[in-house]
Amino acid sequence: DAGVTQSPTHLIKTRGQQVTLRCSPKSGHDTVSWYQQALGQGPQFIFQYYEEEERQRGNFPDRFSGHQFPNYSSELNVNALLLGDSALYLCASSLGWTSYEQYFGPGTRLTVT
Amino acid sequence: AQSVAQPEDQVNVAEGNPLTVKCTYSVSGNPYLFWYVQYPNRGLQFLLKYITGDNLVKGSYGFEAEFNKSQTSFHLKKPSALVSDSALYFCAVSGLTGGGNKLTFGTGTQLKVEL
């Protein structure tokens, strides 16, 4: 049973560039949430997708956007990258957007120089 | 708004001794509480959750947590620590605000178990 997978593992970008991160949920899960974990901090909720719609959003600027595909996989896009966007980006999946069981992927480490 | 506090940045304990990692929470309505563990350069692994029922919750790898409503606490415990338990531990709360299962995490507690 495949768990949550994320790609790429690591990424280095320059300020002002755009980046796309990808997530495939655990088999059978239909909901994907994205979190940002800055160094030394706990994960911060970015947004959640269910039925290809953004259902909840955290306190992140519009530079952060996402998408969910019919196969439930998801993308996180960040435009006009800032140095402060450097972080570990975690994807979590669940069956339904109110489920208590969320499974996390290994994350994508984004470094902005 | 929901929030979690983990008052200790680091906890040191000798192998074989009991360990406690502290967590307090604030949420409107019934709290749904979680503990996750993170090893270096890895994602989060689920340890246990409290939704309803018994205040003592048992989870993975011998960990347990005690829910205390009056003190709004959800401390993580283990009777006998192992060196392999050394990792970063996060407490999280979900109040199902807005209908979704958004998690709010604490800042984490680094657990170091020494021989």
Side-chain angles (χ1 to χ4, degrees):
Chain A
D1 180 18
V4 180
T5 59
Q6 293 186 243
S7 62
T9 304
H10 296 88
L11 202 52
I12 300 174
K13 290 286 188 178
T14 303
R15 276 178 298 176
Q17 286 188 318
Q18 178 264 343
V19 69
T20 297
L21 310 181
R22 295 176 175 82
C23 171
S24 291
K26 180 179 170 63
S27 178
H29 285 186
D30 57 6
T31 302
V32 172
S33 301
W34 287 92
Y35 292 80
Q36 180 197 65
Q37 185 179 12
L39 196 62
Q41 301 294 318
Q44 299 285 320
F45 176 78
I46 303 175
F47 44 53
Q48 179 182 67
Y49 278 85
Y50 172 69
E51 293 187 336
E52 301 180 50
E53 290 187 11
E54 183 181 291
R55 298 289 177 164
Q56 277 192 301
R57 189 178 182 92
N59 189 25
F60 280 79
D62 292 344
R63 298 187 297 109
F64 289 76
S65 63
H67 187 78
Q68 185 179 35
F69 299 94
N71 68 352
Y72 308 126
S73 66
S74 176
E75 288 182 349
L76 164 64
N77 300 293
V78 187
N79 295 323
L81 284 167
L82 304 173
L83 294 179
D85 295 331
S86 295
L88 180 67
Y89 288 84
L90 296 166
C91 170
S93 74
S94 61
L95 179 58
W97 69 312
T98 60
S99 170
Y100 305 122
E101 302 278 351
Q102 289 192 61
Y103 293 82
F104 283 80
T108 293
R109 173 74 62 187
L110 172 65
T111 302
V112 182
T113 61
Chain B
Q2 54 194 42
S3 65
V4 170
Q6 293 182 244
E8 302 156 317
D9 290 336
Q10 182 160 320
V11 170
N12 296 321
V13 64
E15 188 176 50
N17 283 0
L19 69 87
T20 298
V21 182
K22 296 179 180 178
C23 170
T24 58
Y25 66 90
S26 174
V27 66
S28 300
N30 294 323
Y32 304 105
L33 298 158
F34 306 82
W35 277 101
Y36 286 85
V37 60
Q38 186 175 39
Y39 294 96
N41 301 313
R42 301 284 294 277
L44 299 175
Q45 295 181 30
F46 171 81
L47 279 179
L48 51 79
K49 68 179 184 290
Y50 172 84
I51 305 301
T52 187
D54 288 342
N55 290 341
L56 185 63
V57 178
K58 295 190 181 296
S60 306
Y61 313 118
F63 284 93
E64 57 190 28
E66 186 169 10
F67 171 67
N68 188 316
K69 188 173 183 177
S70 63
Q71 296 185 5
T72 61
S73 67
F74 189 57
H75 300 332
L76 181 69
K77 300 182 179 184
K78 187 174 183 182
S80 178
L82 299 172
V83 171
S84 58
D85 293 330
S86 298
L88 185 58
Y89 290 80
F90 289 99
C91 181
V93 65
S94 176
L96 294 185
T97 54
N101 59 3
K102 161 191 169 183
L103 289 171
T104 298
F105 287 86
T107 52
T109 298
Q110 185 70 47
L111 174 65
K112 187 175 182 182
V113 182
E114 301 165 313
L115 289 171

